[in-house]
């Protein structure tokens, strides 16, 4: 769950909930998503798993099942067929506009997540704002 809030003093005066089914999910080989183009040809590096619709809060496996890319891991031994999911890096993206009343000098935005996977990176407008390793960091 992502919530963008404006803080004034110690009180949050505005909240913008970023939850919903308007996110996208893309799969990459490990660390591949960090590269924007190849050194040799300067061509864009294609994703391993094409971008699909995603829901937040949610789980990568649920989005993959909805897209028909993964079988239900709770049926028979189908969990073995889904082991490849943990061998990929996943990017969740959402475009949103910050309302005018959130903007202005002296206002502080707080991005609050109700829970994140074990490790990852948070970017806003392709700028890294935080890395985390461990859910409670």
């Amino acid at each position: 769950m992502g919530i963008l809030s404006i803080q004034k003093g110690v009180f949050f005066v505005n909240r913008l909930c970023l939850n919903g089914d308007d996110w996208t999910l893309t799969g990459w080989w490990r660390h591949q998503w960090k590269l924007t183009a190849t050194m040799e040809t300067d061509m864009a590096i294609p994703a391993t798993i094409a971008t699909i619709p995603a829901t937040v809060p949610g789980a990568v496996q649920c989005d993959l099942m909805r897209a028909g890319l993964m079988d239900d891991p709770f049926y028979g031994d189908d969990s073995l067929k889904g082991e490849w999911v943990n061998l990929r890096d996943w990017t969740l993206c959402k475009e949103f506009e910050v309302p005018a009343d959130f903007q202005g000098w002296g206002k502080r935005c707080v991005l609050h997540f109700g829970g994140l996977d074990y490790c990852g990176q948070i970017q806003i407008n392709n700028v890294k704002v935080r890395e985390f390793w461990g859910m409670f960091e």
Side-chain angles (χ1 to χ4, degrees), residues 3 8 11-14 17 21 23 26-27 34 38 40 44-47 49 51 56-57 100 108 115 120 127 131 137:
I3 298 175
K8 193 169 190 171
F11 301 103
F12 291 105
V13 294
N14 291 327
C17 184
D21 58 2
W23 288 75
T26 307
K34 295 178 183 179
T38 65
E40 298 85 0
I45 298 173
I49 305 297
T51 300
V56 170
R108 178 179 172 197
V127 175
E131 279 187 320
E137 182 178 302

Side-chain angles (χ1 to χ4, degrees), residues 72-80:
D72 184 348
F74 298 110
Y75 180 79
D77 63 357
D78 285 351
S79 64
L80 299 174

Side-chain angles (χ1 to χ4, degrees), residues 72-89:
D72 184 348
F74 298 110
Y75 180 79
D77 63 357
D78 285 351
S79 64
L80 299 174
K81 296 178 187 175
E83 289 181 350
W84 63 272
V85 174
N86 296 327
L87 302 175
R88 303 288 186 277
D89 283 349

Side-chain angles (χ1 to χ4, degrees), residues 5-58:
S5 302
I6 294 298
Q7 185 178 17
K8 193 169 190 171
V10 292
F11 301 103
F12 291 105
V13 294
N14 291 327
R15 294 173 69 105
L16 174 65
C17 184
L18 301 178
N19 294 352
D21 58 2
D22 54 347
W23 288 75
T24 60
L25 175 72
T26 307
W28 305 89
W29 293 112
R30 293 281 183 198
H31 306 290
Q32 178 189 11
W33 60 272
K34 295 178 183 179
L35 304 172
T36 56
T38 65
M39 288 188 311
E40 298 85 0
T41 62
D42 200 35
M43 293 177 63
I45 298 173
T48 308
I49 305 297
T51 300
I52 60 171
T55 301
V56 170

